Amino acid sequence: MRFRLTPRETSFYDMFAASADNIVTGSKLLMELLGADASARAEIAERMRAAEHAGDDATHAIFHQLNSSFITPFDREDIYTLAGSLDDIMDFMEEAVDLVVLYNVEELPDRKGVVQQIEVLARAAELTAEAMPNLRTMDNLTEYWIEINRLENQADQIHRKLLAHLFNGKYDAIEVLKLKQIVDVLEEAADAFEHVANTVETIAVKES
């Protein structure tokens, strides 16, 4: 670790942890949506919207702290990038739930594939929440970003299979457009998890 003579603002660690914990909440709501009938989806979407607003509040708190802190635990640009990437994850998950409700989707394509896609997101959320407190010491982070990258590759494979299923002729053109947008947004959430992991790796390298 780099030796420092000046104290560092430590509240960032708690705020990153809170943001990641909120993402775990969002991933659980995504999973809950899969098992819900159409009548229950609007209420789940409302809870997801509240979680997304909580994520926005956490991101704004980090930015406010960043703007008011003279000493930061690591580079300001990396703090900004990490906070923004965590916020992106929550935004994509909330968008996916909202689209299911707005499009009044009765049946998601290849339910098994969508379940797998959301299970990947849930696992990535858990790993991210476990990793954020380790930013204090930069310990035990290598396994985190390696596993997130593996999960993102898995999400890519699932996404391609879902697209192949969508274009197999079973669905009409309008339904394909609706369902493709949903599975694409779930894929964007997986990409956002990788962006978080890549930022953590960058921070760890700089601090080593």
Side-chain angles (χ1 to χ4, degrees):
M1 293 291 290
R2 193 185 311 167
F3 182 69
R4 297 175 185 266
L5 295 174
T6 52
R8 298 186 294 180
E9 173 56 61
T10 60
S11 59
F12 288 104
Y13 301 121
D14 295 332
M15 289 188 286
F16 282 130
S19 182
D21 287 342
N22 191 56
I23 290 170
V24 173
T25 298
S27 70
K28 290 178 179 177
L29 288 170
L30 259 180
M31 190 63 72
E32 187 177 341
L33 184 78
L34 287 177
D37 57 33
S39 63
R41 288 176 178 172
E43 189 271 335
I44 295 171
E46 190 61 35
R47 283 190 281 143
M48 178 65 98
R49 199 168 296 116
E52 192 274 331
H53 290 328
D56 285 343
D57 290 343
T59 303
H60 294 153
I62 293 170
F63 290 162
H64 176 76
Q65 188 68 31
L66 183 60
N67 291 332
S68 60
S69 297
F70 180 67
I71 302 295
T72 57
F74 36 85
D75 285 353
R76 291 174 179 272
E77 181 180 350
D78 292 330
I79 291 174
Y80 183 87
T81 300
L82 181 56
S85 297
L86 288 167
D87 189 60
D88 287 343
I89 295 170
M90 200 68 208
D91 287 345
F92 288 132
M93 292 196 298
E94 189 272 335
E95 183 180 354
V97 171
D98 202 34
L99 287 173
V100 170
V101 174
L102 290 175
Y103 289 161
N104 195 26
V105 174
E106 294 185 6
E107 182 180 353
L108 290 167
D110 185 9
R111 179 178 171 82
K112 181 180 178 181
V114 174
V115 169
Q116 289 175 335
Q117 201 174 28
I118 292 176
E119 284 176 346
V120 167
L121 296 180
R123 180 57 182 154
E126 291 173 358
L127 290 171
T128 302
E130 292 170 2
M132 289 302 105
N134 292 338
L135 288 171
R136 289 181 181 273
T137 60
M138 298 295 166
D139 293 333
N140 303 316
L141 287 171
T142 303
E143 294 81 2
Y144 153 70
W145 65 65
I146 290 174
E147 180 62 10
I148 291 293
N149 288 334
R150 188 194 69 79
L151 287 171
E152 197 279 330
N153 289 334
Q154 184 179 346
D156 283 344
Q157 295 172 356
I158 295 169
H159 180 245
R160 289 192 290 268
K161 290 179 180 178
L162 283 168
L163 292 181
H165 178 78
L166 276 177
F167 291 112
N168 67 3
K170 176 181 177 181
Y171 303 95
D172 64 40
I174 297 298
E175 195 70 9
V176 167
L177 289 174
K178 292 178 180 180
L179 297 175
K180 182 179 183 300
Q181 190 173 358
I182 293 167
V183 299
D184 283 351
V185 169
L186 291 174
E187 169 61 15
E188 288 183 285
D191 289 342
F193 275 112
E194 187 175 42
H195 294 159
V196 169
N198 290 343
T199 302
V200 169
E201 182 178 8
T202 297
I203 293 167
V205 169
K206 289 181 179 179
E207 294 296 307
S208 62

